[in-house]
Amino acid sequence: YQRRAREAVVSTQSTGEPVAGYVFAVRWSPSRPLVFGATTSNGSLLIYDLRKSRVAPVLQLATNVSKSPTYTLAFNKRRAELLCTGDAKGAVKVWKLSDSLVSVVPGEDKMLSRIAASSYD
């Protein structure tokens, strides 16, 4: 969202199970402008790469076997391949992302600007 915009600049919508509940946290990757993660009420960690799809996550992980809500996530600013999640039972897990989700892609910031501009049309 942008503060002055009346609608979302970018929105995603899953067509199946991954977001069959509430989304609790969303964080942008510190290394890739088109990558963000989200946690859900069914215990999923969803990673989106807007360069590949504006609709479906490129990665879905079950953060716990009981499907209890995962309330938070944080990308590591010093080690871009690491992020952590925290769930309703107090468990904190550290995840390692693949190079394709953390390696800088030239021109990606411009791609994000184009996506945001097209949302106003």
Side-chain angles (χ1 to χ4, degrees):
Y1 280 88
Q2 287 185 350
R3 290 182 184 195
R4 296 182 193 174
R6 293 183 186 264
E7 297 178 11
V9 174
V10 176
S11 64
T12 63
Q13 181 178 350
S14 180
T15 57
E17 178 64 25
V19 188
Y22 298 108
V23 173
F24 285 116
V26 177
R27 300 285 182 269
W28 288 100
S29 164
S31 63
R32 294 265 324 274
L34 292 177
V35 172
F36 67 93
T39 60
T40 69
S41 61
N42 68 356
S44 292
L45 167 62
L46 307 172
I47 303 294
Y48 289 85
D49 184 344
L50 299 178
R51 193 172 64 113
K52 295 184 178 185
S53 173
R54 290 178 64 180
V55 177
V58 294
L59 179 64
Q60 176 187 350
L61 299 169
T63 63
N64 57 68
V65 293
S66 64
K67 293 190 175 187
S68 64
T70 302
Y71 290 122
T72 189
L73 79 144
F75 285 90
N76 188 312
K77 293 179 182 179
R78 292 184 183 170
R79 294 193 52 198
E81 76 277 11
L82 300 178
L83 69 86
C84 66
T85 57
D87 69 24
K89 295 185 176 183
V92 174
K93 293 187 179 176
V94 178
W95 306 89
K96 184 175 181 181
L97 298 174
S98 67
D99 287 340
S100 66
L101 290 171
V102 298
S103 298
V104 177
V105 176
E108 198 166 315
D109 53 343
K110 291 178 184 175
M111 295 167 89
L112 182 59
S113 295
R114 282 195 300 272
I115 290 170
S118 70
S119 297
Y120 289 114
D121 296 337

